Amino acid sequence: MTASAATRPHLVPLPVPAGLDAPDAWLLHGMVDAANAAVLDAWGDLDHARTPGEVLAGLRHQEYDEKLRFVALDAPVDDGPADPARVLGYVALNLPRQDNTHTGWLQLDVRPEHRGRGVGSALHDLAVATARDRGRSMLTTSTDQAAEPDEGADALVPSTGTGRVPATHPGVTFLVRRSWDLEQVTRRSVLDVPLPAERLAAHAAEAAAAAGPGYRVVLWEGRCPDELLDRFALLQTRMSTDAPAGGLDLREDVWDGARVRDAERAFVERGMTYRVAAALHEPTGVLAAFTALVSRPDTDAYVFQDDTLVLRDHRGRRLGMLVKTANLARLAEVQPGARRVGTWNAEENAHMLAINVALGFRPAGGAGEWQLRLG
């Protein structure tokens, strides 16, 4: 590849292929390869890797977000072989269709060996222009960091005042030069599992005693029970308003039962296993708290700790610990090959971080959460 070709990448929209062996599917395979190369470079492992089948299934679900993908190639599509290695990088742009239609989410990755040659700049400019054309006034994105810099180091602090990102990190300097604002820092934490059964049981017993007899843990896998569907949809809605968002301009994102069912179908089609532990307040029938674990189709070893929420009126009763211990106990039974659970929390979310620390989660890097005003 010549230097001039590298600085003028050919950007094309990613088609959603009919299948993984379709003639145009090589572009999707190349995008996933580029994403996983960036994951390995950032973290030193593939715990956050994607698979082509999982990505394709996700792209087929665009009921609530328009999911645009653009790939950077070394030459026009027809000027070379159908080789995934020709994909130098990609940008993903998710644009909400229902709520938060003022904003969008951007993710950009370039294969490490092709960085510094204008590929990322071209992809970024295309995504920003596309968002503007669709009437968006705001974009959000993230930068990963394997470790949070120590106090006194050359670092940026978000508008929340909690957490830091390294000022010289290439991803950070890329965004700062393009007028993105750092609005939040999230902590990545990892828990080695399975936990000793007696330790987990002790945490669960203490949480149950603090909660009192009015709360009962309810477990399900994949499909929320019909009688809890609307109540679970309310919890999903509250995730958009009650979880710390720092300075990000994110507004209420309304869920209903139909959207919950659509999300469940998407998990199944992506090969993911979605396991929920929830706390039911029996005197009122309110579903007061929940937590979810997501398992990937390609590995038993790594599990993602997804959303956890306790409704405001039910906080202070250790319901977060109650549902997390229940889900971890179930994980040890149904997925004995699990070895690590990874999660992300806002650095200002002291209560949830305290639960994780008590369980044994250890800090393992994090991310900067950024916002770009398109005016």
Side-chain angles (χ1 to χ4, degrees), residues 6-7 110-121 174 177:
T7 57
V110 177
R111 294 182 190 262
E113 64 270 25
H114 293 292
R115 292 174 184 168
R117 303 178 182 179
V119 177
S121 296
F174 181 92
R177 286 198 302 268

Side-chain angles (χ1 to χ4, degrees), residues 57-285:
L59 289 175
R60 288 173 174 165
H61 282 273
Q62 303 209 20
E63 301 90 347
Y64 301 98
D65 294 277
E66 182 181 14
K67 301 174 182 177
L68 303 172
R69 305 292 184 265
F70 300 94
V71 294
L73 303 177
D74 58 348
V77 173
D78 296 330
D79 286 3
D83 182 359
R86 291 180 58 201
V87 176
L88 314 178
Y90 74 95
V91 66
L93 185 64
N94 284 10
L95 302 175
R97 298 182 185 273
Q98 175 179 286
D99 297 307
N100 286 289
T101 54
H102 67 293
T103 192
W105 169 84
L106 179 154
Q107 179 176 339
L108 190 160
D109 285 315
V110 177
R111 294 182 190 262
E113 64 270 25
H114 293 292
R115 292 174 184 168
R117 303 178 182 179
V119 177
S121 296
L123 288 166
H124 175 273
D125 292 349
L126 175 59
V128 169
T130 301
R132 279 201 181 101
D133 288 346
R134 282 164 165 75
R136 305 297 156 132
S137 60
M138 202 81 67
L139 284 175
T140 61
T141 193
S142 299
T143 52
D144 293 333
Q145 54 192 41
E148 183 173 306
D150 296 330
E151 286 192 38
D154 189 10
L156 302 180
V157 177
S159 55
T160 61
T162 56
R164 295 171 298 279
V165 300
T168 58
H169 185 284
V172 171
T173 59
F174 181 92
L175 295 180
V176 169
R177 286 198 302 268
R178 290 162 178 79
S179 301
W180 288 75
D181 295 314
L182 179 64
E183 301 288 6
Q184 189 180 52
V185 172
T186 56
R187 183 191 304 178
R188 180 185 181 229
S189 303
V190 175
L191 177 69
D192 295 322
V193 292
L195 291 177
E198 63 278 5
R199 179 176 155 200
L200 195 58
H203 281 303
E206 291 172 3
Y215 294 93
R216 175 170 60 90
V217 174
V218 182
L219 302 174
W220 68 83
E221 179 178 312
R223 182 179 173 85
C224 176
D226 289 339
E227 65 273 15
L228 297 178
L229 183 60
D230 290 338
R231 286 173 274 185
F232 186 54
L234 175 62
L235 282 173
Q236 295 283 10
T237 299
R238 293 281 73 80
M239 276 300 307
S240 66
T241 60
D242 294 3
L248 299 172
D249 183 10
L250 300 176
R251 305 163 192 175
E252 185 177 56
D253 187 26
V254 178
W255 285 61
D256 57 16
R259 186 170 180 180
V260 172
R261 292 293 186 232
D262 286 340
E264 291 170 347
R265 282 190 289 273
F267 274 121
V268 171
E269 292 170 20
R270 292 166 62 199
M272 306 288 221
T273 304
Y274 184 71
R275 298 186 177 101
V276 174
L280 179 66
H281 187 234
E282 295 194 296
T284 62

Side-chain angles (χ1 to χ4, degrees), residues 302-317:
Y302 181 76
V303 179
F304 176 59
Q305 168 65 68
D306 200 26
D307 293 336
T308 300
L309 182 74
V310 179
L311 290 179
R312 293 185 187 277
D313 291 345
H314 294 266
R315 292 178 180 173
R317 298 175 175 87

